[in-house]
């Protein structure tokens, strides 16, 4: 894994830029652990103050220091995206590897379920869960729900790799040596799909954070929990642009763009690394 990281840093400029951008956002989010104020409290400072040496990002109409508010928001949104990506990767790996290796009726049943989840409209389902759960729909519950819908496309991709691995010599040797199906999948096949897992991990984070922002801006999440989406929701509710509090909109949007560009570049560079021809072309071979 270190060799992969070294090659990406050395030969892929997009990966390096993406790593710097995401690293900047992660450091900014980590500062929330040192926040002198509780980001959920309101009217803790003078409202509607523009950016200044005292308030680097200004303050909003709810009397919150935007620097610490956004730091906590990005921390929560990144944790949310990572939670969704990890849980959905676990499901996609389990379904994809088992389906490709087992074949037969197991493959048909799993792919039938997979196709059902592909066809289900996600956003209306999430809105329905909001109206059913209301105040009980916290970030972790929403992450669990989204993880249940974020795996099918990647599971089919992993299955396609597993179908090829099934007929490789090392798989036959492992079976003849008496290895169980679980050991074959985890010890022999899983390392071959990890680059795909990491690439789709970034894509899934983009998808989940973007969908959470959409839900929050429309008011379909816990609005008292600071996230990227809830910051924009409150800015829109207070007509920030109309009353001249432009920094309440501009600064979060700029940070969101930096985050999304960084994650996109990481995902794109990982996708390119998976393709041997693209990788060799980067290395000058």
């Amino acid at each position: 894994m270190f060799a992969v990281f070294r090659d990406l840093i050395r030969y892929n400029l997009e990966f390096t830029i993406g790593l710097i951008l995401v690293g900047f956002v992660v450091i900014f989010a980590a500062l929330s652990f040192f926040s002198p104020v509780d980001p959920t409290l309101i009217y803790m400072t003078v409202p509607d103050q523009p950016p200044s040496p005292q308030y680097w990002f200004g303050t909003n109409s709810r009397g919150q220091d935007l620097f610490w508010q956004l730091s906590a928001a990005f921390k929560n949104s990144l944790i949310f995206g990572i939670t969704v990506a990890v849980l959905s990767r676990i499901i996609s790996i389990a379904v994809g590897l088992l389906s490709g290796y087992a074949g037969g009726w197991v493959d048909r049943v799993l792919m039938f379920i997979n196709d059902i989840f592909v066809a289900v409209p996600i956003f209306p389902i999430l809105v329905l869960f909001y109206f059913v759960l209301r105040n009980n729909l916290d970030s972790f519950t929403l992450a669990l729900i989204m993880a249940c819908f974020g795996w099918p496309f990647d599971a089919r991709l992993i299955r396609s790799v597993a179908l090829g691995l099934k007929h490789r010599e090392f798989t036959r040797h492992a079976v003849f040596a008496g290895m169980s199906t679980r050991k074959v999948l985890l010890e022999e096949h899983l390392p071959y799909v990890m680059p795909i897992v990491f690439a789709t991990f970034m894509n899934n984070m983009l998808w989940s954070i973007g969908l959470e922002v959409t839900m929050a801006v429309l008011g379909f999440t816990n609005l008292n929990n600071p996230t990227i989406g809830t910051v924009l929701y409150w800015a829109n509710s207070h007509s920030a642009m109309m009353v001249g509090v432009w920094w309440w909109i501009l600064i979060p949007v700029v940070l969101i763009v930096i985050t999304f560009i960084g994650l996109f570049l990481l995902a794109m560079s990982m996708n390119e690394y998976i393709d041997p021809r693209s990788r060799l072309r980067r290395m000058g071979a």
Side-chain angles (χ1 to χ4, degrees):
M1 188 56 62
F2 175 76
V4 173
F5 183 79
R6 182 195 61 204
D7 288 343
L8 284 168
I9 288 287
R10 184 176 180 182
Y11 298 109
N12 199 307
L13 179 61
E14 288 87 352
F15 181 83
T16 305
I17 295 174
L19 192 64
I20 292 172
L21 294 177
V22 172
F24 166 77
V25 173
V26 169
I27 292 172
F28 174 67
L31 292 176
S32 64
F33 292 107
F34 306 99
S35 174
V37 295
D38 186 343
T40 63
L41 299 179
I42 59 176
Y43 300 111
M44 299 296 292
T45 186
V46 182
D48 297 337
Q49 295 297 300
S52 64
Q54 183 179 3
Y55 303 111
W56 289 2
F57 289 176
T59 64
N60 59 26
S61 300
R62 288 160 56 85
Q64 296 170 312
D65 189 330
L66 268 183
F67 181 88
W68 298 113
Q69 177 75 6
L70 286 173
S71 180
F74 273 82
K75 179 198 70 176
N76 292 335
S77 290
L78 287 176
I79 291 174
F80 176 85
I82 291 171
T83 302
V84 175
V86 168
L87 294 176
S88 59
R89 292 318 84 199
I90 292 172
I91 299 173
S92 62
I93 290 171
V95 173
L97 288 180
L98 182 59
S99 178
Y101 179 76
W105 68 268
V106 175
D107 181 30
R108 290 193 295 272
V109 169
L110 289 177
M111 286 301 99
F112 176 74
I113 297 173
N114 185 93
D115 292 339
I116 291 175
F117 276 90
V118 168
V120 169
I122 300 173
F123 186 74
I125 297 294
L126 294 177
V127 173
L128 178 62
F129 270 106
Y130 167 76
F131 283 111
V132 171
L133 298 176
R134 291 287 183 172
N135 294 332
N136 294 322
L137 185 62
D138 56 18
S139 291
F140 184 70
T141 304
L142 182 61
L144 287 176
I145 297 170
M146 289 181 62
C148 292
F149 294 96
W151 59 269
F153 291 100
D154 304 325
R156 186 170 285 278
L157 182 61
I158 293 172
R159 170 184 174 271
S160 66
V161 176
L163 286 172
L165 295 174
K166 178 180 179 180
H167 302 288
R168 297 279 290 273
E169 275 305 314
F170 67 86
T171 302
R172 294 195 183 98
H173 292 164
V175 174
F176 290 150
M179 291 182 68
S180 64
T181 299
R182 182 178 62 85
K183 282 193 171 184
V184 171
L185 296 181
L186 294 180
E187 297 179 14
E188 301 294 335
H189 289 183
L190 182 59
Y192 283 89
V193 302
M194 286 310 292
I196 297 174
V197 171
F198 284 122
T200 57
F201 184 94
M202 301 300 172
N203 286 325
N204 200 260
M205 279 192 67
L206 278 170
W207 169 78
S208 58
I209 293 175
L211 197 51
E212 187 277 332
V213 169
T214 303
M215 293 278 293
V217 168
L218 295 175
F220 294 144
T221 60
N222 180 5
L223 299 175
N224 295 318
N225 181 40
T227 65
I228 301 172
T230 56
V231 169
L232 294 176
Y233 170 85
W234 288 115
N236 183 60
S237 296
H238 286 78
S239 304
M241 293 301 290
M242 297 294 293
V243 299
V245 191
W246 52 265
W247 52 89
W248 198 359
I249 293 286
L250 180 62
I251 296 176
V253 168
V254 169
L255 291 174
I256 290 170
V257 170
I258 291 174
T259 304
F260 277 41
I261 290 176
L263 290 172
F264 171 75
L265 290 176
L266 289 179
M268 184 181 67
S269 56
M270 286 298 295
N271 282 328
E272 191 174 78
Y273 187 86
I274 294 171
D275 181 10
R277 288 175 296 181
S278 298
R279 184 166 69 248
L280 290 173
R281 187 170 61 251
R282 284 275 185 179
M283 294 178 178

